[in-house]
Amino acid sequence: MFNIFGSKPKNYENLDGRTFREKFQSAAKAELLDVRTAGEFAAGSIKGAKNLDVTSSQFQQALKTMDKDKAYFVFCRSGNRSGAACDMMSAQGFKAYNLAGGIGAWPR
C-alpha cells in the first residue's frame, strides 16, 4: 500500500487513559515515565512516575541503561512528546505505550 502522507507505522501503542492505567497496573514489570521537562514534572505528575525529559540530551543516554524487559508507560502534556519518546524507545527494542491525550487523559 502506498504511504502518501509519509507517516510510518508505529511500533508502540497509543492507549486512552483508562486502558493505559489498567494495562500499567496489570503489567508484571512496568514503569511510568513522564517525559516532560523537570519544571512540568515538579508542577505535578502521576504518582510513581519517573521524570526523563525527552527533549534533554540525557534522554538517549538514559535509554542505554534502562531495562528492556520492562514495559514503559510514557506520557507528557498532550501525547506528542511521549509519542516521539515511544517511537525512539521502540526503535531500540523497548516495549512502550503512549498515553494518548497526555496527562489530562489519566483517569482521576
Side-chain angles (χ1 to χ4, degrees):
M1 188 87 198
F2 295 106
N3 187 355
I4 61 173
F5 298 109
S7 64
K8 57 185 178 182
K10 291 180 175 65
N11 291 321
Y12 62 90
E13 289 183 59
N14 282 315
L15 303 175
D16 64 77
R18 185 178 54 81
T19 306
F20 184 89
R21 183 174 70 182
E22 289 172 359
K23 203 161 192 153
F24 169 69
Q25 290 173 336
S26 65
K29 291 177 73 176
E31 193 162 319
L32 266 175
L33 198 58
D34 184 336
V35 295
R36 298 175 302 159
T37 65
E40 290 173 302
F41 181 76
S45 189
I46 299 171
K47 185 178 180 182
K50 293 184 178 178
N51 184 220
L52 181 58
D53 182 354
V54 70
T55 63
S56 75
S57 59
Q58 290 86 21
F59 187 80
Q60 288 289 346
Q61 287 297 323
L63 292 183
K64 294 176 183 175
T65 65
M66 293 166 54
D67 184 354
K68 289 186 179 176
D69 291 332
K70 288 183 178 180
Y72 290 90
F73 292 80
V74 185
F75 63 94
C76 65
R77 185 183 57 79
S78 67
N80 289 327
R81 285 176 284 175
S82 54
C86 286
D87 195 36
M88 283 187 264
M89 293 174 75
S90 63
Q92 295 186 32
F94 290 95
K95 183 70 178 169
Y97 300 95
N98 183 35
L99 177 56
I103 193 169
W106 178 261
R108 306 270 175 222

